[in-house]
Amino acid sequence: DQQVKQNSPSLSVQEGRISILNCDYTNSMFDYFLWYKKYPAEGPTFLISISSIKDKNEDGRFTVFLNKSAKHLSLHIVPSQPGDSAVYFCAARGGNNRKLIWGLGTSLAVNP
Amino acid sequence: NAGVTQTPKFQVLKTGQSMTLQCAQDMNHEYMSWYRQDPGMGLRLIHYSVGAGITDQGEVPNGYNVSRSTTEDFPLRLLSAAPSQTSVYFCASSSTGTGRTRNQPQHFGDGTRLSIL
């Protein structure tokens, strides 16, 4: 039973437009959420995170929104660039548990 | 600052062979973990450690052993390799804090690609 779900395996966006990647979770104990980006043949790279005490966190072109009542978070990339083409993973954890629970990833293709 | 270093990057083994995947971090992180990534399965936690001398099982521990004798190193041992262990293995580390510094992201190595024939 997947506690963190990324329902879109892939997404294609034009350069300069907005990319929106979605993630749903089932465990109401989760209180820290992270997005990672992964290029082929490399390890995942931390992108941005959000604590459950916030509903938005912004870092340059990347913004993460958290809707606790819907148990949903999204990553917005504006404007999208070809270098953003990668697999994006959503992860979550709760309380004092250091273990991250991972989604299966969404492959983003940004077309020039 | 090298971050998390994994060796080797590639390895081919025969069924029944043993080997150790090395992981070292130079960030003085207390928490270290091993994942495997398989197509369509995302990242699955094999073993983790919250500090030197302390290890625990993750989601898929069978067939793997770990030890944590120092803060820097967290090797993963395959005792008797099986084709089902063909995968990409990632090591990650993070600092641990309390209160406002509790939430720290994990930092990953570039992976070891392991094929077992």
Side-chain angles (χ1 to χ4, degrees), chain B:
Chain B
N1 192 344
V4 179
T5 303
Q6 290 184 239
T7 55
K9 293 192 184 305
F10 303 94
Q11 185 71 49
V12 179
L13 291 177
K14 293 182 179 178
T15 297
Q17 286 185 313
S18 63
M19 82 159 293
T20 300
L21 280 63
Q22 302 291 345
C23 175
Q25 52 92 8
D26 61 0
M27 298 172 281
N28 202 32
H29 285 169
E30 301 90 346
Y31 184 87
M32 296 186 74
S33 55
W34 276 101
Y35 295 91
R36 59 179 288 175
Q37 185 186 20
D38 302 292
M41 301 292 286
L43 285 160
R44 293 187 292 169
L45 182 65
I46 304 171
H47 285 285
Y48 67 98
S49 168
V50 298
I54 306 169
T55 63
D56 208 344
Q57 295 181 349
E59 190 183 349
V60 287
N62 292 340
Y64 307 95
N65 275 358
V66 291
S67 60
R68 185 92 181 269
S69 56
T70 67
T71 299
E72 294 78 17
D73 300 298
F74 191 42
L76 177 72
R77 294 184 196 80
L78 280 70
L79 303 175
S80 178
S84 61
Q85 294 178 304
T86 293
S87 187
V88 181
Y89 292 84
F90 291 104
C91 178
S93 73
S94 68
S95 61
T96 57
T98 57
R100 296 180 69 181
T101 63
R102 187 173 66 86
N103 289 329
Q104 300 294 331
Q106 291 185 18
H107 301 267
F108 283 79
D110 280 338
T112 294
R113 284 143 190 85
L114 183 62
S115 292
I116 298 162
L117 307 176

Side-chain angles (χ1 to χ4, degrees), chain A residues 1 11 15 22 28 43 51 64 78 81-82 90 100 105-106:
Chain A
D1 181 31
L11 176 68
E15 181 179 4
N22 294 304
S28 57
S51 162
V64 56
V78 182
Q81 300 173 353
C90 170
L100 288 177
T106 296

Side-chain angles (χ1 to χ4, degrees), chain A:
Chain A
D1 181 31
Q2 277 234 283
Q3 297 187 65
V4 176
K5 298 178 185 178
Q6 294 178 254
N7 291 320
S8 298
S10 62
L11 176 68
S12 183
V13 170
Q14 284 299 117
E15 181 179 4
R17 305 293 290 269
I18 184 171
S19 295
I20 300 176
L21 296 94
N22 294 304
C23 179
D24 297 295
Y25 61 96
T26 58
N27 191 336
S28 57
M29 297 301 292
F30 288 154
D31 60 4
Y32 182 51
F33 305 88
L34 307 91
W35 284 95
Y36 281 80
K37 178 170 72 174
K38 186 182 180 306
Y39 294 119
E42 293 184 10
T45 303
F46 170 69
L47 198 54
I48 192 169
S49 64
I50 188 166
S51 162
S52 60
I53 62 173
K54 294 186 172 182
D55 54 17
K56 176 182 173 181
N57 190 24
E58 210 168 341
D59 184 1
R61 297 185 297 113
F62 302 92
T63 303
V64 56
F65 295 92
L66 176 62
N67 182 333
K68 289 184 287 294
S69 60
K71 294 190 179 68
H72 175 84
L73 64 155
S74 61
L75 174 69
H76 293 211
I77 306 173
V78 182
S80 301
Q81 300 173 353
D84 296 328
S85 298
V87 177
Y88 289 79
F89 289 97
C90 170
R93 70 165 193 240
N96 291 322
N97 194 337
R98 295 287 168 184
K99 291 188 284 186
L100 288 177
I101 308 300
W102 295 81
L104 297 185
T106 296
S107 179
L108 173 67
V110 180
N111 305 308

